[in-house]
């Protein structure tokens, strides 16, 4: 039973200062700016410095979301960090963020759903708030994808970047808030997008390092086809379960993996591109961070207005997908 309506109280994001441009990549692998821009829409991405960790950007994004929500860290009861590049295998990056923020009353754990992680986190937070179990939950999507990217593989290294985004989910009035979710998974596609070693199956050895098994492996074309179908059908299901139609949507915030995927998904559903937030040119694919970074930039730049219907949609490793329909 839903006791409270859950909504987004504030957003924040943080990205590294260092820019890795397409021209820089031309000097690292056999590629061109023209190929990268025309096939992906990406012009540059941000890369964290050595010694930095996912929690550094997660904590900065979280601090900004807290300030936007007008809340202090001790009002947060749960921190969820969606990431596939945690600081360490354990403890959870969410716990490191909890300490950094001084959120002494918060439980904290990580959530692993790759690029869909932020939507999964939002759904989890929303359920906690709706049930009355927690009042304010911090949801973070943060990844330093550069740490698991093979910079000798031109098929993947041009795609990814680093960053973090966060939102505070809390109680809102009945006329707004998170209206509906659609979440799904298909583990049969796990090996389309994965890191082969470093887990219990293939623990790290000098051989796994030599064979470059700690980096992302991706079936690009299969992932592309899956992504277009998953994004379009997931957003349609979330819009329908919210009791809305496509024309009610004011803004779409999609996972930023490839501008051609976003365009194809919008063409399939009939959503005009002028309603879509696209910032992939600046950041590339930042995995779980991509949706909350785009959401935060859209809120701060005034592209999203109060009462707008905003749909967030993503897909990723797992395979996983998800969408959320929100009245801001
Ligand atoms: O968060 C989810 C993460 N992943 C994704 O969403 C990725 C989804 N897939 C894609 O975005 C696209 O499949 C890619 C951008 C990865 C590739 O684009 P594509 O249009 O599917 O190209 P392709 O893989 O069919 O490759 C076409 C050609 C190949 O050469 P040949 O075999 O035709 O001679 C590739 O070797 O492009 C070549 N190629 C490159 N050329 C220059 C692949 N990467 C590069 C590159 N620069 N960086």
């Amino acid at each position: 039973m839903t006791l409270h309506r859950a909504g987004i109280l504030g957003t924040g994001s943080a990205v590294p200062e260092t820019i890795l441009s397409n021209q820089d990549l031309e000097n690292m692998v056999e590629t061109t700016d023209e190929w990268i821009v025309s096939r992906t829409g990406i012009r540059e991405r941000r890369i964290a410095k050595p010694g930095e960790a996912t929690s550094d950007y997660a904590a900065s994004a979280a601090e900004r979301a807290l300030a936007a929500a007008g809340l202090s860290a001790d009002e947060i009861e749960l921190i969820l960090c969606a990431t596939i590049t945690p600081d360490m295998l354990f403890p959870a990056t969410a716990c490191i963020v909890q300490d950094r923020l001084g959120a002494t009353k918060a439980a904290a754990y990580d959530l692993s759903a790759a690029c869909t992680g932020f939507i999964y986190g939002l759904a989890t937070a929303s359920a906690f708030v709706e049930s009355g179990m927690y009042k304010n939950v911090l949801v973070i999507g943060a990844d330093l994808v550069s740490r698991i990217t093979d910079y000798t593989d031109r098929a993947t290294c041009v795609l990814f970047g680093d960053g973090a985004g966060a939102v505070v989910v809390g109680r809102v009035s009945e006329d707004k808030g998170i209206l509906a979710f659609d979440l799904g998974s298909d583990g049969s596609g796990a090996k389309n997008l994965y890191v082969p070693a470093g887990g219990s199956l293939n623990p790290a050895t000098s051989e796994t390092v030599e064979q470059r098994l700690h980096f992302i492996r991706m079936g690009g074309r299969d992932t592309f086809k899956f992504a277009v179908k998953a994004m379009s059908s997931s957003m349609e299901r979330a819009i329908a379960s919210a009791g809305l139609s496509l024309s009610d949507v004011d803004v779409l915030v999609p996972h930023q993996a490839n501008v051609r995927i976003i365009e194809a998904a919008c063409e399939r559903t009939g959503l005009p591109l002028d309603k879509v937030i696209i910032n992939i040119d600046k950041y590339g694919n930042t995995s779980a961070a991509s949706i909350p970074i785009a959401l935060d930039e859209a809120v701060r730049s005034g592209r999203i207005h109060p009462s707008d219907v905003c749909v967030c949609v993503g897909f990723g490793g797992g395979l996983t997908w998800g969408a959320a329909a929100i009245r801001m």
Side-chain angles (χ1 to χ4, degrees):
M1 196 177 73
T2 301
L3 293 176
H4 305 279
R5 172 73 80 154
I8 292 177
L9 306 182
T11 66
S13 61
V15 294
E17 271 170 29
T18 307
I19 291 175
L20 180 69
S21 69
N22 290 352
Q23 287 75 19
D24 296 330
L25 284 162
E26 283 178 355
N27 298 323
M28 296 162 67
V29 287
E30 204 185 322
T31 191
T32 60
D33 174 54
E34 194 280 326
W35 191 96
I36 303 171
V37 173
S38 63
R39 299 289 180 123
T40 71
I42 301 166
R43 292 182 186 278
E44 56 188 44
R45 62 293 286 142
R46 302 301 180 96
I47 304 293
K49 290 188 178 68
E52 289 182 325
T54 297
S55 60
D56 294 324
Y57 292 94
S60 300
E63 276 164 4
R64 288 170 194 163
L66 281 172
L71 291 175
S72 60
D74 63 4
E75 292 174 276
I76 295 296
E77 292 163 311
L78 174 66
I79 301 172
L80 293 173
C81 184
T83 185
I84 50 163
T85 52
D87 290 18
M88 294 163 266
L89 270 180
F90 79 93
T93 299
C95 293
I96 298 161
V97 172
Q98 180 271 340
D99 181 48
R100 285 276 293 275
L101 297 176
T104 50
K105 295 180 185 133
Y109 61 90
D110 285 359
L111 197 151
S112 176
C115 306
T116 321
F118 176 74
I119 304 282
Y120 271 57
L122 200 58
T124 310
S126 177
F128 275 123
V129 171
E130 285 179 357
S131 71
M133 183 157 168
Y134 293 126
K135 217 167 151 191
N136 298 310
V137 179
L138 193 54
V139 183
I140 305 165
D143 271 309
L144 302 190
V145 195
S146 66
R147 303 296 205 242
I148 53 166
T149 296
D150 183 349
Y151 286 97
T152 66
D153 175 17
R154 69 174 183 176
T156 53
C157 76
V158 302
L159 302 175
F160 298 104
D162 300 338
V167 300
V168 179
V169 176
R171 293 177 188 173
V172 295
S173 57
E174 277 302 315
D175 56 341
K176 55 184 177 185
I178 301 170
L179 308 173
F181 284 100
D182 173 69
L183 301 180
S185 71
D186 175 9
S188 71
K191 290 204 171 164
N192 266 336
L193 199 50
Y194 74 124
V195 174
S200 60
L201 179 63
N202 295 310
T205 62
S206 49
E207 285 78 29
T208 62
V209 172
E210 224 166 81
Q211 291 165 28
R212 311 186 79 75
L213 297 179
H214 297 272
F215 296 124
I216 294 174
R217 298 279 172 98
M218 186 180 75
R221 279 188 198 178
D222 286 346
T223 305
F224 191 107
K225 282 185 218 150
F226 152 73
V228 174
K229 276 192 212 148
M231 291 240 285
S232 50
S233 50
S234 190
M235 74 167 102
E236 282 172 349
R237 283 191 294 266
I239 293 165
S241 7
L244 301 171
S245 63
L246 197 70
S247 57
D248 296 316
V249 176
D250 297 298
V251 184
L252 182 79
V253 183
H255 172 45
Q256 314 278 317
N258 185 325
V259 77
R260 287 160 54 220
I261 293 175
I262 297 172
E263 287 166 359
C266 288
E267 197 181 319
R268 245 175 117 106
T269 54
L271 190 83
L273 273 177
D274 61 4
K275 291 190 172 182
V276 184
I277 306 296
I278 296 175
N279 64 3
I280 190 171
D281 51 320
K282 295 190 290 178
Y283 305 124
N285 180 348
T286 56
S287 186
S290 98
I291 294 172
I293 291 174
L295 183 67
D296 181 49
E297 289 193 346
V299 167
R300 286 174 195 270
S301 68
R303 281 272 318 261
I304 295 180
H305 308 102
S307 298
D308 272 358
V309 171
C310 169
V311 173
C312 297
V313 63
F315 69 92
L319 299 166
T320 53
W321 59 87
I326 308 160
R327 192 175 292 281
M328 301 297 285

